[in-house]
Amino acid sequence: MKARETIEINLLGKDYEIDKNKLLYVLSALENKEITNCTKNQISELMTKYDLFDENFLKHINKL
């Protein structure tokens, strides 16, 4: 079992601690290819591309 790795994302002055594996899972599905590791900048670019900087998304991603 993989250890839980988190990434901190700030949206409008509020910090969200996101499970990186779950976020990569969603991004992999959207990109239609497996994404196993990427930098915070690459994640940010993909989140911008798919308009995922959204309060509801960030609140609920860890519930997957």
Side-chain angles (χ1 to χ4, degrees), residues 19-55:
D19 184 323
K20 188 174 180 180
N21 291 327
K22 290 180 181 186
L23 182 56
L24 290 177
Y25 176 82
V26 170
L27 293 173
S28 292
L30 291 170
E31 283 286 295
N32 202 26
K33 64 180 180 181
E34 187 175 357
I35 301 172
T36 55
N37 198 10
C38 37
T39 67
K40 190 169 182 174
N41 286 339
Q42 291 170 321
I43 289 172
S44 180
E45 289 172 6
L46 288 170
M47 288 183 68
T48 301
K49 177 180 177 180
Y50 292 107
D51 199 26
L52 297 179
F53 282 107
D54 177 76
E55 183 179 12

Side-chain angles (χ1 to χ4, degrees), residues 3-15:
R4 183 171 183 237
E5 188 178 346
T6 61
I7 185 171
E8 191 172 290
I9 297 175
N10 184 296
L11 178 67
L12 303 174
K14 186 171 181 182
D15 291 328

